Amino acid sequence: DAGGGGDDDDEGNDDAGPVAFPPLEVPLELTLNGNPLERTTSTATYSFYRDDARARPKLYRAQPYGGPTAGGTTVAIEGSGLAALAALGAATCAFGPPEGNSTHPGPNIVPATLVADGGGVTVRCVSPPAGSEFFGFAAGDGGDVGLSVSFNGGRDYVRRPLRYLYYSPDALHVDSVSPDGGPTAGGVVVTVRGRNLLTTGGLLCAFGGAGTV
Protein backbone atom coordinates (compact mmCIF):
# COMPACT_ATOMS: atom_id res chain seq x y z
CA ASP A 1 0.00 0.00 0.00
CA ALA A 2 1.63 3.26 -1.14
CA GLY A 3 -0.16 5.03 1.68
CA GLY A 4 1.31 2.70 4.33
CA GLY A 5 3.94 3.30 6.98
CA GLY A 6 7.68 3.40 6.57
CA ASP A 7 10.46 2.04 8.79
CA ASP A 8 9.23 0.57 12.06
CA ASP A 9 11.10 1.86 15.09
CA ASP A 10 8.22 1.42 17.53
CA GLU A 11 8.42 -0.87 20.53
CA GLY A 12 5.89 -3.50 21.49
CA ASN A 13 2.96 -4.71 19.43
CA ASP A 14 2.72 -2.47 16.39
CA ASP A 15 -0.76 -3.75 15.55
CA ALA A 16 -2.27 -2.49 18.80
CA GLY A 17 -3.70 1.02 18.69
CA PRO A 18 -2.20 3.59 21.07
CA VAL A 19 -3.80 4.27 24.43
CA ALA A 20 -5.23 7.79 24.76
CA PHE A 21 -3.19 9.84 27.23
CA PRO A 22 -4.22 13.52 27.03
CA PRO A 23 -1.31 15.98 27.29
CA LEU A 24 -0.59 17.40 30.76
CA GLU A 25 -0.80 21.19 30.61
CA VAL A 26 1.18 23.16 33.20
CA PRO A 27 1.83 26.89 33.75
CA LEU A 28 5.09 28.23 32.36
CA GLU A 29 6.64 31.20 34.19
CA LEU A 30 10.06 32.89 34.29
CA THR A 31 12.35 34.08 37.03
CA LEU A 32 15.28 36.37 36.30
CA ASN A 33 17.17 36.03 39.58
CA GLY A 34 16.98 32.31 40.34
CA ASN A 35 14.32 32.76 43.01
CA PRO A 36 11.28 30.62 42.12
CA LEU A 37 9.13 32.79 44.39
CA GLU A 38 9.88 35.87 42.27
CA ARG A 39 8.52 34.88 38.91
CA THR A 40 6.22 36.16 36.24
CA THR A 41 2.46 35.77 36.54
CA SER A 42 1.35 35.22 32.97
CA THR A 43 -1.12 32.82 31.36
CA ALA A 44 1.55 30.95 29.36
CA THR A 45 1.35 27.16 29.44
CA TYR A 46 3.35 24.15 28.26
CA SER A 47 1.95 20.68 27.54
CA PHE A 48 3.77 17.40 28.21
CA TYR A 49 2.67 14.39 26.19
CA ARG A 50 3.75 10.78 26.32
CA ASP A 51 5.87 9.43 23.48
CA ASP A 52 6.31 5.82 24.55
CA ALA A 53 5.13 2.82 22.52
CA ARG A 54 1.75 2.63 24.29
CA ALA A 55 0.80 6.27 23.75
CA ARG A 56 2.67 7.19 20.57
CA PRO A 57 0.30 8.18 17.71
CA LYS A 58 0.38 6.24 14.45
CA LEU A 59 -0.40 7.27 10.89
CA TYR A 60 -2.40 4.71 8.91
CA ARG A 61 -3.47 6.20 5.60
CA ALA A 62 -3.14 9.22 3.29
CA GLN A 63 -5.81 9.93 0.69
CA PRO A 64 -4.80 10.51 -2.00
CA TYR A 65 -1.26 9.24 -1.53
CA GLY A 66 0.15 11.06 -4.53
CA GLY A 67 -0.21 14.13 -6.71
CA PRO A 68 1.42 16.34 -9.37
CA THR A 69 4.90 17.77 -8.82
CA ALA A 70 3.37 21.25 -9.00
CA GLY A 71 1.78 20.60 -5.59
CA GLY A 72 -1.60 21.93 -4.55
CA THR A 73 -3.15 18.53 -3.74
CA THR A 74 -5.26 18.40 -0.58
CA VAL A 75 -4.26 15.29 1.38
CA ALA A 76 -6.29 13.77 4.24
CA ILE A 77 -4.25 11.78 6.76
CA GLU A 78 -5.84 9.27 9.12
CA GLY A 79 -4.35 7.54 12.13
CA SER A 80 -4.85 6.64 15.77
CA GLY A 81 -3.90 8.57 18.86
CA LEU A 82 -4.14 11.87 16.97
CA ALA A 83 -7.10 13.32 18.87
CA ALA A 84 -5.14 13.43 22.13
CA LEU A 85 -2.55 15.75 20.56
CA ALA A 86 -5.00 17.93 18.64
CA ALA A 87 -5.22 20.36 21.56
CA LEU A 88 -1.56 21.28 21.10
CA GLY A 89 -2.41 23.04 17.82
CA ALA A 90 0.27 24.29 15.40
CA ALA A 91 0.04 21.13 13.27
CA THR A 92 2.28 20.80 10.21
CA CYS A 93 2.93 18.21 7.49
CA ALA A 94 6.38 17.29 6.20
CA PHE A 95 6.63 16.02 2.62
CA GLY A 96 10.08 14.48 2.69
CA PRO A 97 12.64 14.85 5.51
CA PRO A 98 11.47 17.35 8.17
CA GLU A 99 14.56 19.54 7.85
CA GLY A 100 14.77 23.02 9.31
CA ASN A 101 12.85 23.91 12.44
CA SER A 102 9.60 25.51 13.51
CA THR A 103 11.07 29.02 13.14
CA HIS A 104 12.65 28.48 9.72
CA PRO A 105 10.96 25.43 8.17
CA GLY A 106 12.04 24.02 4.84
CA PRO A 107 9.87 24.50 1.74
CA ASN A 108 8.56 20.94 2.20
CA ILE A 109 6.91 21.82 5.53
CA VAL A 110 3.31 23.09 5.20
CA PRO A 111 0.57 24.04 7.69
CA ALA A 112 -2.07 21.45 8.53
CA THR A 113 -5.64 21.67 9.80
CA LEU A 114 -7.28 19.19 12.16
CA VAL A 115 -10.83 18.06 11.40
CA ALA A 116 -12.88 16.18 14.02
CA ASP A 117 -14.36 13.06 12.44
CA GLY A 118 -16.49 10.56 14.36
CA GLY A 119 -14.59 10.86 17.61
CA GLY A 120 -11.21 10.91 15.85
CA VAL A 121 -9.17 13.52 14.03
CA THR A 122 -8.24 13.78 10.35
CA VAL A 123 -5.21 15.86 9.40
CA ARG A 124 -5.53 17.86 6.19
CA CYS A 125 -2.71 19.64 4.38
CA VAL A 126 -1.88 20.79 0.86
CA SER A 127 1.16 19.31 -0.86
CA PRO A 128 3.95 21.81 -1.62
CA PRO A 129 5.67 21.98 -5.02
CA ALA A 130 8.41 19.37 -5.45
CA GLY A 131 11.90 19.96 -6.74
CA SER A 132 14.11 21.33 -3.95
CA GLU A 133 16.99 19.57 -2.21
CA PHE A 134 14.50 18.35 0.40
CA PHE A 135 12.85 16.02 -2.12
CA GLY A 136 15.86 14.36 -3.74
CA PHE A 137 14.63 14.73 -7.33
CA ALA A 138 14.13 17.43 -9.93
CA ALA A 139 10.74 19.12 -10.17
CA GLY A 140 9.94 17.56 -13.54
CA ASP A 141 10.89 14.00 -12.59
CA GLY A 142 8.68 13.10 -9.65
CA GLY A 143 9.44 10.59 -6.95
CA ASP A 144 8.45 9.01 -3.66
CA VAL A 145 8.82 10.89 -0.34
CA GLY A 146 7.91 10.36 3.29
CA LEU A 147 4.84 12.11 4.70
CA SER A 148 4.58 12.82 8.41
CA VAL A 149 2.76 15.11 10.85
CA SER A 150 3.87 17.31 13.75
CA PHE A 151 1.52 18.57 16.45
CA ASN A 152 3.95 20.96 18.15
CA GLY A 153 4.85 23.36 15.39
CA GLY A 154 7.39 21.20 13.59
CA ARG A 155 9.62 20.36 16.55
CA ASP A 156 8.75 16.65 16.61
CA TYR A 157 7.08 14.45 13.98
CA VAL A 158 5.08 11.24 14.26
CA ARG A 159 7.35 8.26 13.75
CA ARG A 160 6.91 5.85 10.84
CA PRO A 161 5.94 8.29 8.07
CA LEU A 162 3.53 7.40 5.32
CA ARG A 163 4.58 7.54 1.65
CA TYR A 164 3.53 10.14 -0.92
CA LEU A 165 4.22 9.88 -4.65
CA TYR A 166 4.91 12.99 -6.72
CA TYR A 167 4.39 12.48 -10.44
CA SER A 168 4.79 14.67 -13.51
CA PRO A 169 1.50 15.08 -15.45
CA ASP A 170 3.59 15.58 -18.61
CA ALA A 171 4.74 11.94 -18.34
CA LEU A 172 1.17 10.60 -18.44
CA HIS A 173 -0.14 9.77 -21.89
CA VAL A 174 -3.32 8.15 -23.23
CA ASP A 175 -2.62 6.05 -26.34
CA SER A 176 -6.02 4.55 -27.13
CA VAL A 177 -9.67 4.45 -26.09
CA SER A 178 -11.83 1.45 -26.95
CA PRO A 179 -14.56 1.80 -27.99
CA ASP A 180 -14.27 5.43 -28.92
CA GLY A 181 -17.97 6.20 -28.59
CA GLY A 182 -21.29 5.06 -27.17
CA PRO A 183 -24.96 5.98 -26.60
CA THR A 184 -25.96 9.09 -24.68
CA ALA A 185 -27.55 6.82 -22.05
CA GLY A 186 -24.04 5.74 -21.03
CA GLY A 187 -23.30 2.34 -19.55
CA VAL A 188 -20.51 1.45 -22.00
CA VAL A 189 -17.37 -0.10 -20.49
CA VAL A 190 -14.44 1.84 -21.94
CA THR A 191 -10.85 0.56 -21.95
CA VAL A 192 -8.12 3.20 -21.80
CA ARG A 193 -4.51 2.29 -22.62
CA GLY A 194 -1.50 4.51 -22.18
CA ARG A 195 1.92 5.09 -20.68
CA ASN A 196 2.92 5.89 -17.11
CA LEU A 197 -0.67 5.55 -15.96
CA LEU A 198 -0.83 4.97 -12.21
CA THR A 199 -3.22 5.36 -9.34
CA THR A 200 -2.48 7.22 -6.12
CA GLY A 201 -5.78 6.52 -4.42
CA GLY A 202 -8.32 7.98 -6.84
CA LEU A 203 -8.32 6.69 -10.42
CA LEU A 204 -11.17 8.38 -12.30
CA CYS A 205 -12.15 9.00 -15.94
CA ALA A 206 -13.39 12.41 -17.05
CA PHE A 207 -15.85 12.50 -19.98
CA GLY A 208 -15.78 16.14 -21.06
CA GLY A 209 -17.91 18.29 -18.78
CA ALA A 210 -20.15 15.42 -17.68
CA GLY A 211 -18.16 14.73 -14.54
CA THR A 212 -15.95 11.87 -13.48
CA VAL A 213 -16.54 8.15 -12.95
Side-chain angles (χ1 to χ4, degrees):
D1 185 351
D7 296 336
D8 185 359
D9 57 0
D10 283 349
E11 301 173 358
N13 183 1
D14 188 53
D15 294 330
V19 180
F21 291 103
L24 174 63
E25 185 178 84
V26 298
L28 192 155
E29 306 293 349
L30 297 176
T31 176
L32 302 181
N33 61 1
N35 185 349
L37 299 179
E38 298 175 356
R39 59 188 180 185
T40 58
T41 55
S42 68
T43 58
T45 61
Y46 184 86
S47 295
F48 291 95
Y49 61 86
R50 287 181 55 171
D51 193 38
D52 55 86
R54 291 188 66 206
R56 185 175 298 144
K58 294 179 174 65
L59 304 179
Y60 291 155
R61 181 173 181 262
Q63 181 62 29
Y65 49 86
T69 53
T73 301
T74 299
V75 182
I77 300 171
E78 300 174 359
S80 60
L82 307 184
L85 300 181
L88 297 177
T92 57
C93 290
F95 288 76
E99 303 291 346
N101 53 55
S102 59
T103 304
H104 298 92
N108 61 319
I109 308 296
V110 295
T113 58
L114 306 177
V115 181
D117 182 15
V121 168
T122 298
V123 180
R124 296 185 183 275
C125 51
V126 178
S127 64
S132 74
E133 68 275 14
F134 294 98
F135 295 91
F137 51 83
D141 296 338
D144 182 74
V145 299
L147 171 57
S148 193
V149 179
S150 169
F151 291 91
N152 63 350
R155 294 289 182 179
D156 302 281
Y157 281 84
V158 176
R159 304 188 188 191
R160 294 191 66 207
L162 302 175
R163 308 306 302 173
Y164 186 84
L165 178 64
Y166 278 101
Y167 61 85
S168 172
D170 294 337
L172 309 181
H173 189 269
V174 174
D175 292 327
S176 65
V177 176
S178 178
D180 55 10
T184 56
V188 177
V189 176
V190 180
T191 300
V192 180
R193 301 183 184 278
R195 288 165 282 169
N196 300 316
L197 304 182
L198 72 169
T199 177
T200 56
L203 183 60
L204 301 171
C205 291
F207 290 80
T212 57
V213 294

